[in-house]
Amino acid sequence: RKEVEQDPGPFNVPEGATVAFNCTYSNSASQSFFWYRQDCRKEPKLLMSVYSSGNEDGRFTAQLNRASQYISLLIRDSKLSDSATYLCVVNGGNNDMRFGAGTRLTVKP
Amino acid sequence: EAGVVQSPRYKIIEKKQPVAFWCNPISGHNTLYWYRQNLGQGPELLIRYENEEAVDDSQLPKDRFSAERLKGVDSTLKIQPAELGDSAVYLCASRRRGASTDTQYFGPGTRLTVL
């Protein structure tokens, strides 16, 4: 079993749609969690950290459920520019950052 | 602040040839990571340094891969000899060793093609 698993996707949604991505992790001692965004042929870049109480940044909402070892990312009112691959990242402790395989999103007009 | 610098950006070699990648992390970042990313996959950790010490190299194929970070700043990743399956993007990332919520910053990567 992989340490970090994500919805395989791809997700193809129309502009304005709401889309949710899920991620599970196997290491119960994991300390911190992140969502990264990666555009085609570019490096991953931080989208947002995920806090225990859940957090929101504009149209993006991240949730963490430690009991179920589950992280989610919700994107509301999708824009064409949201098309990218979304990577779930888990810090297993001591700077051990592990990535999921990524979920590809395409937002269509 | 300058970001993570990697070179070269692209490299094409024939199998069995050696190749080396260089990374200069963000100033003050103690932790340095090398990842390999295959098409359609997430980055896979090859090696992680805390200053000059390799603290996690369990995923590094040691028969052909080597890495160093002699002064705890720049790092070099080497493959010798390269195989067809080594074609991938090699990403370097750095992170400040502070709170667990500190994030990584990635360089642009080196795209390696082995013919």
Side-chain angles (χ1 to χ4, degrees):
Chain A
R1 181 188 174 190
K2 290 187 176 181
E3 293 185 46
V4 181
E5 296 201 58
Q6 295 185 237
D7 287 345
F11 285 67
N12 297 302
V13 303
E15 271 188 292
T18 296
V19 61
F21 306 137
N22 301 319
C23 173
T24 58
Y25 59 96
S26 61
N27 182 359
S28 59
S30 296
Q31 297 178 351
S32 52
F33 311 88
F34 309 88
W35 284 100
Y36 275 66
R37 170 189 170 132
Q38 187 172 27
D39 292 294
C40 188
R41 302 180 76 86
K42 298 287 188 180
E43 71 273 22
K45 292 186 177 178
L46 178 69
L47 176 66
M48 60 195 302
S49 301
V50 185
Y51 301 125
S52 296
S53 56
N55 49 300
E56 188 174 308
D57 183 2
R59 297 181 294 107
F60 299 83
T61 301
Q63 295 281 349
L64 167 65
N65 184 322
R66 285 189 182 271
S68 300
Q69 296 179 202
Y70 169 94
I71 307 157
S72 65
L73 177 68
L74 183 75
I75 306 176
R76 292 182 300 277
D77 189 23
S78 299
K79 312 292 185 189
L80 296 177
S81 58
D82 293 335
S83 297
T85 296
Y86 291 83
L87 297 160
C88 174
V89 184
V90 175
N91 179 0
N94 295 320
N95 295 318
D96 183 15
M97 306 286 274
R98 301 286 174 157
F99 284 73
T103 301
R104 186 171 174 182
L105 172 67
T106 301
V107 181
K108 298 184 175 181
Chain B
E1 151 180 281
V4 177
V5 179
Q6 288 188 249
S7 68
R9 293 292 309 277
Y10 304 91
K11 190 73 177 179
I12 300 174
I13 61 172
E14 294 188 347
K15 63 180 181 182
K16 301 185 181 180
Q17 294 299 305
V19 64
F21 315 126
W22 176 79
C23 173
N24 181 242
I26 293 173
S27 178
H29 282 197
N30 307 92
T31 309
L32 184 147
Y33 308 78
W34 281 103
Y35 290 90
R36 177 170 59 189
Q37 186 172 26
N38 292 303
L39 189 65
Q41 298 295 315
E44 295 179 38
L45 181 70
L46 292 174
I47 190 168
R48 173 166 58 95
Y49 283 93
E50 298 294 346
N51 298 306
E52 66 276 8
E53 182 182 0
V55 296
D56 183 357
D57 62 356
S58 57
Q59 302 301 312
L60 189 72
K62 297 182 182 63
D63 57 335
R64 298 183 300 107
F65 286 64
S66 64
E68 61 183 14
R69 193 185 184 199
L70 293 176
K71 296 183 179 180
V73 180
D74 295 4
S75 178
T76 303
L77 178 68
K78 298 179 181 178
I79 308 174
Q80 182 171 11
E83 297 180 350
L84 295 177
D86 296 331
S87 295
V89 176
Y90 291 83
L91 292 162
C92 178
S94 71
R95 183 167 179 259
R96 186 170 61 97
R97 185 172 177 79
S100 64
T101 51
D102 284 344
T103 60
Q104 288 173 306
Y105 296 86
F106 281 84
T110 296
R111 185 173 297 274
L112 174 66
T113 301
V114 182
L115 303 176

